[in-house]
Amino acid sequence: MAVIDIKNLSYIYGPGTPYEKKALEDISFSVEKGELLGIVGSNGSGKSTLIQHFNGLLSPTSGSISVLGFDARDKKYRDQLWQKVGLVFQFPEQQLFEASVFAELAYGLKNMGLKHDEIEYRVQEALESVGLAAKQVLDSSPLCLSGGMRRRAAVACILAMKPEILVMDEPTAGLDPEGCAQIWGTIKKIHKEQGTTVIMVSHYINELVLLADRIMVLENGVMEAWGPPRKVLGGEDMLNIDVLLPDYLKLLYELKKKGAKINTGMLTLEEAAGEIARILRRSE
Amino acid sequence: MKKMTLGQYLPGDSLIHRLDPRTKLIGCMAVIITILVNDHWLGLCIITLFIAMIIIMAKIDVRAVLRGVKWLWLLLTLTFFFQAILTEGDPLFHLGPMIFSQEGLSLGIITVLRLLILYLSSTILTMTTSSMKLAGGMEALLSPLSYLRIPVYQLAMLINVSLRFIPTIIEEAETISRAQKSRGAPFNSPKRSIQLRAALAVLIPLIAASLQRATDLAAAMESRCYTGGANQSRLKNLHYGTNDFMAFMLIVMVCILPCFYF
């Protein structure tokens, strides 16, 4: 079952002004329930604009979008979509404002109209799922936490609302390797254990290819490639796209451009090494 | 990238864009003072033509500018309307109980013209002058005040820095309010008190981020040996050229001479 269905979506910033800018052009795809979708693209490719359509912050200039079975262009439906589609913005720790971590996590839950017991339970649960010890952080100010912990607390704010679809905009940007691993651990857990549909945005493709069921490559507001990671990497679409590829994939693409008959659909360094060894053996 | 803001700088290469910011600042001020002091219709007509000429020379799409400000039209229409019906004089015609007098109509037109010129002249200034140049021009014009021990250079830097960060802060405010909307912040609640609390959820992170940025900027400036003295040099020095001289003469002709004649 498709939870998000988008057809011919276009979005233009400031139509009719001298600043008119086409951010998205004729995008069509659908997201299946329970899948992990990765959206990849360089800066300014329209990733952030696209995901703001998912929870009703933006409405398409043309084309259609339905989320969880209803038309998301409808203003009334759009205004309550935030309860079902959780959107974690880029650098979410910059949006913390309450005096304590508890109040911070409870903010969204209060806006949902939940009872106090339920709020307390969900806050505990969300903090645990991001790997923060509830007892230690609950009463402290979010500003007193370390950078990585603040990021996790901000992610927990959205997780506590138990969205059916979780959308995250570069959740690991600017974190150290340990912080990245923790965020990824949380996402895997949410995805596997609760069956939440997860949409991840990143400009590093190697973060996503290992986990995502499907990936989408955006470039200048146009969808350049779409499908399972192996198929996207192995296809011809990626040859001329300026996405930040890991070095081993860059090498494979260079070889392919030079005419080598090589399969570029390799997800890890080991696989890529194996593929190159295979080519070398054959040429001997 | 976002909605167009009022009087936003539009890079261009017209004659008006290239004028020295000091000329434009003085010109703008002269026009504003003239239309406030001089209320003769002929003087107003000359200045209106003058402004129209500048708009054409600056290659600004004036329709886009006027379309962007709905409240301005409301203000102009209301002003005209009330001037027309509330001024006593020879009745010209009437709509129901409202009587339009000849004096009222002409006063209405003059007031509307004045408001429009006020708005247009300052908008043209900011649309054709980058904030860097604007601050530089202000600094140069105010520099005589430094003899009175007023810290003009620091003030100019203050203006410069604030102008520089306005778009950044607007963009940030937009992002944060979207993020809080994603957590259900009730911006559209019918209750004022709830609306206020929702606004706080945007204001607090915004102020925190601004303070952080100010600290970072200060550190960056100090690490490049900024001490706040008057000996700062700039990449492009202000240059007073022939065009500026001609523009200046034109301003004198259009703004000052009519004051004596009418």
Side-chain angles (χ1 to χ4, degrees), chain A:
Chain A
M1 192 190 89
V3 284
I4 297 179
D5 194 27
I6 287 178
K7 286 206 178 73
N8 309 102
L9 181 144
S10 295
Y11 189 82
I12 299 170
Y13 278 111
T17 68
Y19 296 95
E20 184 173 303
K21 187 174 175 285
K22 216 166 202 176
L24 292 171
E25 201 174 345
D26 201 19
I27 308 254
S28 302
F29 68 95
S30 61
V31 185
E32 297 299 320
K33 190 172 168 58
E35 84 168 314
L36 201 158
L37 169 71
I39 300 178
V40 203
S42 40
N43 287 334
S45 60
K47 322 183 280 289
S48 301
T49 310
L50 179 62
I51 59 171
Q52 288 182 38
H53 284 83
F54 299 160
N55 82 333
L57 286 173
L58 296 178
S59 185
T61 311
S62 67
S64 70
I65 171 171
S66 83
V67 179
L68 297 165
F70 294 97
D71 189 349
R73 286 172 300 179
D74 177 49
K75 178 94 173 80
K76 270 213 181 108
Y77 183 58
R78 242 184 326 132
D79 282 346
Q80 41 163 317
L81 252 184
W82 61 271
Q83 304 193 14
K84 293 175 179 159
V85 184
L87 175 54
V88 180
F89 271 70
Q90 210 170 359
F91 302 115
E93 64 274 19
Q94 287 172 357
Q95 286 122 35
L96 302 177
F97 70 100
E98 291 276 15
S100 74
V101 171
F102 176 80
E104 193 68 59
L105 265 77
Y107 182 70
L109 303 175
K110 273 187 200 150
N111 287 333
M112 286 171 83
L114 296 180
K115 294 224 170 61
H116 190 73
D117 295 352
E118 173 78 9
I119 291 179
E120 237 167 54
Y121 175 73
R122 283 204 187 186
V123 167
Q124 297 263 359
E125 195 185 33
L127 283 176
E128 263 167 42
S129 73
V130 295
L132 289 174
K135 272 189 195 137
Q136 286 171 23
V137 297
L138 219 46
D139 295 320
S140 53
S141 159
L143 295 176
C144 297
L145 304 176
S146 74
M149 285 165 92
R150 237 185 289 169
R151 175 77 56 92
R152 280 186 273 159
V155 171
C157 287
I158 302 293
L159 292 183
M161 302 196 298
K162 294 197 174 168
E164 287 176 47
I165 304 172
L166 178 65
V167 189
M168 302 179 107
D169 193 351
E170 311 236 10
T172 56
L175 290 185
D176 56 10
E178 196 196 340
C180 288
Q182 264 157 342
I183 294 280
W184 273 108
T186 305
I187 295 168
K188 275 187 233 171
K189 207 161 61 184
I190 299 289
H191 178 57
K192 291 245 166 63
E193 287 172 12
Q194 301 179 9
T196 311
T197 311
V198 179
I199 300 173
M200 281 277 292
V201 169
S202 177
H203 60 250
Y204 292 105
I205 201 166
N206 56 334
E207 274 190 333
L208 290 172
V209 285
L210 290 173
L211 286 165
D213 297 306
R214 287 191 284 182
I215 56 175
M216 170 199 295
V217 181
L218 274 179
E219 175 100 340
N220 294 327
V222 179
M223 192 165 86
E224 293 285 355
W226 162 253
R230 243 175 239 288
K231 200 181 134 227
V232 168
L233 291 179
E236 303 283 324
D237 298 333
M238 295 291 290
L239 283 176
N240 298 314
I241 293 177
D242 187 31
V243 182
L244 292 167
L245 291 167
D247 291 336
Y248 55 88
L249 276 176
K250 274 186 198 156
L251 177 62
L252 292 184
Y253 281 125
E254 281 306 312
L255 288 171
K256 191 171 188 175
K257 274 187 199 165
K258 294 241 153 71
K261 286 202 174 93
I262 197 163
N263 179 7
T264 52
M266 299 294 137
L267 302 186
T268 61
L269 180 60
E270 288 73 24
E271 282 182 18
E275 177 68 12
I276 291 174
R278 190 182 66 81
I279 295 280
L280 287 176
R281 245 180 283 130
R282 210 177 47 190
S283 62
E284 279 166 13

Side-chain angles (χ1 to χ4, degrees), chain B residues 17-35:
Chain B
H17 281 86
R18 284 196 307 264
L19 279 182
D20 191 288
R22 285 169 293 185
T23 318
K24 285 189 269 190
L25 272 167
I26 293 175
C28 180
M29 258 176 342
V31 166
I32 288 174
I33 293 171
T34 314
I35 56 161

Side-chain angles (χ1 to χ4, degrees), chain B residues 211-222:
Chain B
L211 289 177
Q212 183 59 49
R213 202 174 15 242
T215 320
D216 292 348
L217 182 71
M221 284 166 79
E222 271 176 1

Side-chain angles (χ1 to χ4, degrees), chain B residues 247-258:
Chain B
F248 204 76
M249 294 314 285
L250 202 62
I251 292 166
V252 170
M253 260 159 50
V254 171
C255 298
I256 299 183
L257 292 184

